[in-house]
Amino acid sequence: MSNREVVVLSVGGMRFVTRASTLQQFPESRLAQMLNGDDREFKLVNGEFFVDRDGTLFSYIMDFLRTLQVSLPADFSDYQRLQREAEFYGLYPLADLLSQEHLLKPRLEILEVRFSLQEMQAFFRIFGSCSTTVETLAEQITVFTGQQSGQSWNSPFPSQKPLVPLPLERPSHHDMVFQCGTDYSAGDQFVARYVSIKPDNRKLINGANVLGLLLDTLLKDGFRLISTRTVSCEEKVECYSFERTKRPVGLSVTVDQAPGSSGTAQAKRSQVQKGK
């Protein structure tokens, strides 16, 4: 039976068609031994291997054999049952990954935008529960500054003088601070700050416009606005709270063919990116 190219399995009433090489990813597993006729648990009936186990959970096992990665639906909860099935089939690398349930579950991210409008300047502070998300957002936002003359803060275009990019203030890994608008310096001269948010190429100086673009960017990135409140009426500080469910990075294994091992495969965990 080991020379089969296509194998059909009936697991718990569900039919699966796959390549023999897929089932042989882990030569020591019971699925690989099944092809050699070495495991009596698997009955060959009318050309199909009959297995009296959970067919729905076996679909995740087949996905793992095909991709060598654990990727489960956001609402999945049967981690212990799936781990037990992996152990039944002798897929211990999969069982090991499933034991790290905390890395496989989706995480809820919270992000907060605070907006303050003071005369001709607007101040922004963004806080996020995931530092990676905040870092990515910081790479999208650029503040430009330059000396201006005889313009109001609502001017749609900067002067022809070159604008200088400014680094964002990063009080911690989880937040950032920036501002836009104008501030008088001397005579009719004033300092103007423009904000650009990728992939939009505009340089905006009006705080309300920057706020609108920022909120739209977050919504397009999968965040959901859950509340809006006024934090301080005296300082005119508004707070916008967002949340999104972030899927975890899939846990995976690599299978190495060791020289001189006669096809014996070794499984090892690849580096896993942990949410911060």
Side-chain angles (χ1 to χ4, degrees), residues 19 32 47 49 52 57 94 96 107 112 121 165 190 211 213 239-241:
R19 293 177 179 272
F49 287 100
D52 190 18
L57 293 179
L94 173 58
D96 180 45
R107 293 180 293 112
E112 183 179 276
Q121 296 186 79
F190 57 85
L211 177 63
L213 178 57
C239 178
Y240 300 82
S241 298

PDB file of all heavy atoms in Angstrom, residues 19 32 47 49 52 57 94 96 107 112 121 165 190 211 213 239-241:
ATOM      1  N   ARG A  19      -2.536  13.196  -0.924  1.00  0.00           N
ATOM      2  CA  ARG A  19      -1.384  12.461  -1.447  1.00  0.00           C
ATOM      3  C   ARG A  19      -0.760  11.623  -0.335  1.00  0.00           C
ATOM      4  O   ARG A  19      -0.783  12.014   0.839  1.00  0.00           O
ATOM      5  CB  ARG A  19      -0.341  13.444  -1.988  1.00  0.00           C
ATOM      6  CG  ARG A  19      -0.768  14.216  -3.224  1.00  0.00           C
ATOM      7  CD  ARG A  19       0.324  15.199  -3.618  1.00  0.00           C
ATOM      8  NE  ARG A  19      -0.025  15.957  -4.811  1.00  0.00           N
ATOM      9  CZ  ARG A  19       0.218  15.562  -6.045  1.00  0.00           C
ATOM     10  NH1 ARG A  19       0.825  14.405  -6.260  1.00  0.00           N
ATOM     11  NH2 ARG A  19      -0.121  16.310  -7.080  1.00  0.00           N
ATOM     12  N   ALA A  32       1.431   7.606   8.679  1.00  0.00           N
ATOM     13  CA  ALA A  32       2.463   7.098   7.775  1.00  0.00           C
ATOM     14  C   ALA A  32       2.547   5.577   7.864  1.00  0.00           C
ATOM     15  O   ALA A  32       2.681   4.888   6.841  1.00  0.00           O
ATOM     16  CB  ALA A  32       3.809   7.736   8.115  1.00  0.00           C
ATOM     17  N   GLY A  47     -11.247   0.236  -0.794  1.00  0.00           N
ATOM     18  CA  GLY A  47     -10.196   1.135  -1.261  1.00  0.00           C
ATOM     19  C   GLY A  47     -10.027   2.389  -0.428  1.00  0.00           C
ATOM     20  O   GLY A  47      -9.188   3.235  -0.738  1.00  0.00           O
ATOM     21  N   PHE A  49      -9.504   4.091   3.552  1.00  0.00           N
ATOM     22  CA  PHE A  49      -9.139   3.824   4.935  1.00  0.00           C
ATOM     23  C   PHE A  49     -10.228   4.371   5.847  1.00  0.00           C
ATOM     24  O   PHE A  49     -10.548   5.560   5.811  1.00  0.00           O
ATOM     25  CB  PHE A  49      -7.791   4.473   5.276  1.00  0.00           C
ATOM     26  CG  PHE A  49      -6.614   3.774   4.660  1.00  0.00           C
ATOM     27  CD1 PHE A  49      -6.030   4.264   3.507  1.00  0.00           C
ATOM     28  CD2 PHE A  49      -6.099   2.621   5.239  1.00  0.00           C
ATOM     29  CE1 PHE A  49      -4.946   3.621   2.939  1.00  0.00           C
ATOM     30  CE2 PHE A  49      -5.016   1.971   4.678  1.00  0.00           C
ATOM     31  CZ  PHE A  49      -4.446   2.459   3.510  1.00  0.00           C
ATOM     32  N   ASP A  52     -12.420   5.532  12.792  1.00  0.00           N
ATOM     33  CA  ASP A  52     -13.539   5.871  13.670  1.00  0.00           C
ATOM     34  C   ASP A  52     -13.124   6.962  14.652  1.00  0.00           C
ATOM     35  O   ASP A  52     -13.013   6.755  15.862  1.00  0.00           O
ATOM     36  CB  ASP A  52     -14.000   4.615  14.427  1.00  0.00           C
ATOM     37  CG  ASP A  52     -15.316   4.863  15.167  1.00  0.00           C
ATOM     38  OD1 ASP A  52     -16.019   5.838  14.831  1.00  0.00           O
ATOM     39  OD2 ASP A  52     -15.636   4.076  16.070  1.00  0.00           O
ATOM     40  N   LEU A  57     -12.410  17.518  13.401  1.00  0.00           N
ATOM     41  CA  LEU A  57     -11.080  17.805  13.937  1.00  0.00           C
ATOM     42  C   LEU A  57      -9.984  17.284  13.010  1.00  0.00           C
ATOM     43  O   LEU A  57      -8.905  17.883  12.922  1.00  0.00           O
ATOM     44  CB  LEU A  57     -10.927  17.192  15.330  1.00  0.00           C
ATOM     45  CG  LEU A  57     -11.816  17.800  16.429  1.00  0.00           C
ATOM     46  CD1 LEU A  57     -11.594  17.078  17.753  1.00  0.00           C
ATOM     47  CD2 LEU A  57     -11.538  19.288  16.582  1.00  0.00           C
ATOM     48  N   LEU A  94       2.622  18.403  16.353  1.00  0.00           N
ATOM     49  CA  LEU A  94       1.367  19.153  16.342  1.00  0.00           C
ATOM     50  C   LEU A  94       0.805  19.261  17.762  1.00  0.00           C
ATOM     51  O   LEU A  94       0.352  20.325  18.181  1.00  0.00           O
ATOM     52  CB  LEU A  94       0.353  18.482  15.419  1.00  0.00           C
ATOM     53  CG  LEU A  94      -1.073  19.070  15.443  1.00  0.00           C
ATOM     54  CD1 LEU A  94      -1.067  20.545  15.092  1.00  0.00           C
ATOM     55  CD2 LEU A  94      -1.972  18.283  14.493  1.00  0.00           C
ATOM     56  N   ASP A  96       2.430  19.277  20.463  1.00  0.00           N
ATOM     57  CA  ASP A  96       3.272  20.206  21.204  1.00  0.00           C
ATOM     58  C   ASP A  96       2.873  21.644  20.916  1.00  0.00           C
ATOM     59  O   ASP A  96       2.789  22.485  21.811  1.00  0.00           O
ATOM     60  CB  ASP A  96       4.739  19.966  20.838  1.00  0.00           C
ATOM     61  CG  ASP A  96       5.670  20.913  21.577  1.00  0.00           C
ATOM     62  OD1 ASP A  96       5.488  21.093  22.793  1.00  0.00           O
ATOM     63  OD2 ASP A  96       6.565  21.486  20.941  1.00  0.00           O
ATOM     64  N   ARG A 107      -6.092  37.700  19.762  1.00  0.00           N
ATOM     65  CA  ARG A 107      -5.946  38.682  20.832  1.00  0.00           C
ATOM     66  C   ARG A 107      -6.775  39.925  20.512  1.00  0.00           C
ATOM     67  O   ARG A 107      -6.845  40.366  19.375  1.00  0.00           O
ATOM     68  CB  ARG A 107      -4.474  39.077  20.999  1.00  0.00           C
ATOM     69  CG  ARG A 107      -3.604  37.954  21.518  1.00  0.00           C
ATOM     70  CD  ARG A 107      -2.153  38.402  21.658  1.00  0.00           C
ATOM     71  NE  ARG A 107      -1.540  38.686  20.362  1.00  0.00           N
ATOM     72  CZ  ARG A 107      -1.179  39.889  19.959  1.00  0.00           C
ATOM     73  NH1 ARG A 107      -1.389  40.938  20.717  1.00  0.00           N
ATOM     74  NH2 ARG A 107      -0.613  40.070  18.777  1.00  0.00           N
ATOM     75  N   GLU A 112      -6.373  53.840  21.492  1.00  0.00           N
ATOM     76  CA  GLU A 112      -7.053  55.060  21.932  1.00  0.00           C
ATOM     77  C   GLU A 112      -6.402  56.273  21.280  1.00  0.00           C
ATOM     78  O   GLU A 112      -5.175  56.402  21.276  1.00  0.00           O
ATOM     79  CB  GLU A 112      -6.989  55.172  23.455  1.00  0.00           C
ATOM     80  CG  GLU A 112      -7.728  56.350  24.038  1.00  0.00           C
ATOM     81  CD  GLU A 112      -7.633  56.392  25.547  1.00  0.00           C
ATOM     82  OE1 GLU A 112      -8.444  55.712  26.203  1.00  0.00           O
ATOM     83  OE2 GLU A 112      -6.733  57.078  26.065  1.00  0.00           O
ATOM     84  N   GLN A 121      -3.684  75.215  16.997  1.00  0.00           N
ATOM     85  CA  GLN A 121      -2.899  73.989  17.052  1.00  0.00           C
ATOM     86  C   GLN A 121      -3.777  72.816  17.482  1.00  0.00           C
ATOM     87  O   GLN A 121      -4.716  72.987  18.255  1.00  0.00           O
ATOM     88  CB  GLN A 121      -1.728  74.128  18.031  1.00  0.00           C
ATOM     89  CG  GLN A 121      -0.703  75.174  17.617  1.00  0.00           C
ATOM     90  CD  GLN A 121       0.494  75.152  18.552  1.00  0.00           C
ATOM     91  OE1 GLN A 121       1.371  74.306  18.432  1.00  0.00           O
ATOM     92  NE2 GLN A 121       0.515  76.076  19.493  1.00  0.00           N
ATOM     93  N   PRO A 165      11.079  67.129   7.944  1.00  0.00           N
ATOM     94  CA  PRO A 165      10.362  66.118   8.732  1.00  0.00           C
ATOM     95  C   PRO A 165      10.848  66.099  10.173  1.00  0.00           C
ATOM     96  O   PRO A 165      12.039  66.245  10.445  1.00  0.00           O
ATOM     97  CB  PRO A 165      10.691  64.812   8.001  1.00  0.00           C
ATOM     98  CG  PRO A 165      11.959  65.079   7.274  1.00  0.00           C
ATOM     99  CD  PRO A 165      11.948  66.534   6.913  1.00  0.00           C
ATOM    100  N   PHE A 190       5.563  82.564  11.463  1.00  0.00           N
ATOM    101  CA  PHE A 190       5.101  81.550  12.391  1.00  0.00           C
ATOM    102  C   PHE A 190       5.582  80.186  11.934  1.00  0.00           C
ATOM    103  O   PHE A 190       5.955  79.987  10.781  1.00  0.00           O
ATOM    104  CB  PHE A 190       3.576  81.567  12.544  1.00  0.00           C
ATOM    105  CG  PHE A 190       2.818  81.388  11.248  1.00  0.00           C
ATOM    106  CD1 PHE A 190       2.550  80.124  10.755  1.00  0.00           C
ATOM    107  CD2 PHE A 190       2.367  82.491  10.542  1.00  0.00           C
ATOM    108  CE1 PHE A 190       1.842  79.956   9.584  1.00  0.00           C
ATOM    109  CE2 PHE A 190       1.660  82.325   9.358  1.00  0.00           C
ATOM    110  CZ  PHE A 190       1.402  81.065   8.872  1.00  0.00           C
ATOM    111  N   LEU A 211      -7.436  64.508  11.980  1.00  0.00           N
ATOM    112  CA  LEU A 211      -8.207  63.559  12.792  1.00  0.00           C
ATOM    113  C   LEU A 211      -9.067  62.657  11.907  1.00  0.00           C
ATOM    114  O   LEU A 211      -9.104  61.445  12.098  1.00  0.00           O
ATOM    115  CB  LEU A 211      -9.095  64.311  13.781  1.00  0.00           C
ATOM    116  CG  LEU A 211     -10.020  63.444  14.648  1.00  0.00           C
ATOM    117  CD1 LEU A 211      -9.207  62.528  15.551  1.00  0.00           C
ATOM    118  CD2 LEU A 211     -10.960  64.321  15.464  1.00  0.00           C
ATOM    119  N   LEU A 213      -8.610  61.827   8.765  1.00  0.00           N
ATOM    120  CA  LEU A 213      -7.772  60.892   8.008  1.00  0.00           C
ATOM    121  C   LEU A 213      -7.245  59.790   8.923  1.00  0.00           C
ATOM    122  O   LEU A 213      -7.187  58.617   8.531  1.00  0.00           O
ATOM    123  CB  LEU A 213      -6.609  61.644   7.355  1.00  0.00           C
ATOM    124  CG  LEU A 213      -5.616  60.793   6.554  1.00  0.00           C
ATOM    125  CD1 LEU A 213      -6.323  60.022   5.445  1.00  0.00           C
ATOM    126  CD2 LEU A 213      -4.503  61.663   5.979  1.00  0.00           C
ATOM    127  N   CYS A 239     -11.660  61.790  23.248  1.00  0.00           N
ATOM    128  CA  CYS A 239     -11.021  60.475  23.216  1.00  0.00           C
ATOM    129  C   CYS A 239     -11.837  59.534  22.343  1.00  0.00           C
ATOM    130  O   CYS A 239     -13.047  59.388  22.533  1.00  0.00           O
ATOM    131  CB  CYS A 239     -10.903  59.921  24.636  1.00  0.00           C
ATOM    132  SG  CYS A 239     -10.171  58.276  24.702  1.00  0.00           S
ATOM    133  N   TYR A 240     -11.163  58.877  21.393  1.00  0.00           N
ATOM    134  CA  TYR A 240     -11.782  57.895  20.493  1.00  0.00           C
ATOM    135  C   TYR A 240     -11.157  56.535  20.802  1.00  0.00           C
ATOM    136  O   TYR A 240      -9.941  56.363  20.699  1.00  0.00           O
ATOM    137  CB  TYR A 240     -11.542  58.272  19.031  1.00  0.00           C
ATOM    138  CG  TYR A 240     -12.112  59.623  18.645  1.00  0.00           C
ATOM    139  CD1 TYR A 240     -11.404  60.797  18.918  1.00  0.00           C
ATOM    140  CD2 TYR A 240     -13.346  59.720  18.013  1.00  0.00           C
ATOM    141  CE1 TYR A 240     -11.919  62.043  18.572  1.00  0.00           C
ATOM    142  CE2 TYR A 240     -13.880  60.957  17.659  1.00  0.00           C
ATOM    143  CZ  TYR A 240     -13.159  62.110  17.946  1.00  0.00           C
ATOM    144  OH  TYR A 240     -13.676  63.340  17.604  1.00  0.00           O
ATOM    145  N   SER A 241     -11.990  55.563  21.176  1.00  0.00           N
ATOM    146  CA  SER A 241     -11.499  54.232  21.531  1.00  0.00           C
ATOM    147  C   SER A 241     -11.851  53.229  20.436  1.00  0.00           C
ATOM    148  O   SER A 241     -13.000  53.190  19.970  1.00  0.00           O
ATOM    149  CB  SER A 241     -12.099  53.778  22.864  1.00  0.00           C
ATOM    150  OG  SER A 241     -11.696  54.645  23.906  1.00  0.00           O
TER     151      SER A 241
END
